[in-house]
Amino acid sequence: MGKVSKGKKSKYKKYADSQKKPLVYIMNKKTDQAQIAIGYKSFSIFDKQRTILSVLATILGGGMSSRLFIEVREKRGLCYFVRTFAEYYLDQGYIGTFSGVTLNKIDEAIKVILREHKKIITEEISVKELNKAKEYIKGKFLLSAEGSHDIAHFIGMEKLILDRVISIENYFKEIDSVTILQIKKIAREIFVPHQLNLAIIGPFKGQEKRFEKLLEL
């Protein structure tokens, strides 16, 4: 890539965080199933805690054996899919739980999801559960690493954004180093009311107050 000419970095308007209470956004639409997103603000891609948050997200909703999949889908039949993942940008990030839920069970689904978020703080995380989440992350990465496009994307993002190229071995060491105490610390910092946001797509025009009450759990 030596012949590629240099250019100027594009600029962006930095995010100004002024949120002081839980917020609800509803996109009113006639649907057979409600799409919901429950998210908390977190930190940028430059924060080293992002690996911890990724493990936390996996424990919550990273697969068919995750807490939310079992509680929301398997035990209660409130949805077809539910997943949690973390995203990181240049100056801000988030951890969010996304689900498609039955219209008349949306309130219950939201309550159960919020309770599971809180349980990360208040209840025990077993070593077995922690290790399962780590292996899930590593296994998913190795499957994607079979394609040259995915490897190029991983290396390119590491170099362009973080100005480093980490080996897969060292990346896995970062994941393996995450502890239960670190996960609980991050959860206490992020799972707080003033950073909570709920977005809904469904036939719920003008019902923001109804859902705002659910966020007070």
Side-chain angles (χ1 to χ4, degrees), residues 26-166:
I26 296 175
M27 179 181 286
N28 184 56
K29 186 177 182 180
K30 187 178 180 180
T31 59
D32 296 325
Q33 188 182 63
Q35 302 296 317
I36 64 174
I38 301 175
Y40 302 80
K41 297 176 184 178
S42 64
F43 31 72
S44 77
I45 194 169
F46 301 108
D47 197 308
K48 293 182 178 179
Q49 297 179 103
R50 66 186 184 280
T51 305
I52 303 169
L53 193 61
S54 294
V55 176
L56 189 163
T58 303
I59 290 172
L60 270 175
M64 295 178 69
S65 62
S66 65
R67 293 186 177 192
L68 285 169
F69 191 92
I70 292 170
E71 290 296 326
V72 183
R73 173 176 158 148
E74 297 299 295
K75 287 186 178 180
R76 294 175 174 83
L78 301 176
C79 69
Y80 176 71
F81 80 92
V82 60
R83 63 181 181 271
T84 303
F85 58 83
E87 287 283 0
Y88 314 100
Y89 304 105
L90 295 180
D91 62 350
Q92 183 72 25
Y94 72 85
I95 178 172
T97 295
F98 303 82
S99 186
V101 303
T102 306
L103 292 177
N104 62 357
K105 294 183 178 180
I106 185 172
D107 296 66
E108 183 183 357
I110 292 170
K111 289 179 182 178
V112 174
I113 290 170
L114 289 173
R115 279 201 296 268
E116 289 303 314
H117 289 171
K118 287 191 175 183
K119 284 181 182 179
I120 290 289
I121 301 171
T122 60
E123 297 187 6
E124 179 184 358
I125 299 172
S126 68
V127 173
K128 181 180 179 181
E129 189 175 28
L130 174 66
N131 291 335
K132 187 192 297 181
K134 292 176 180 179
E135 292 306 311
Y136 177 87
I137 294 172
K138 291 188 288 185
K140 190 175 180 180
F141 180 87
L142 287 175
L143 285 174
S144 69
E146 292 180 1
S148 57
H149 176 273
D150 295 291
I151 286 292
H153 181 268
F154 174 74
I155 294 173
M157 289 292 289
E158 286 282 307
K159 182 60 181 176
L160 290 173
I161 304 298
L162 301 177
D163 195 25
R164 70 170 191 179
V165 178
I166 189 172

Side-chain angles (χ1 to χ4, degrees), residues 23-31 34-37 106 110 197-212:
L23 296 176
V24 174
Y25 175 78
I26 296 175
M27 179 181 286
N28 184 56
K29 186 177 182 180
K30 187 178 180 180
T31 59
Q35 302 296 317
I36 64 174
I106 185 172
I110 292 170
N197 295 276
L198 167 64
I200 303 171
I201 300 175
F204 302 104
K205 185 177 182 180
Q207 297 185 45
E208 283 82 1
K209 294 294 182 183
R210 165 189 171 184
F211 294 107
E212 284 173 1

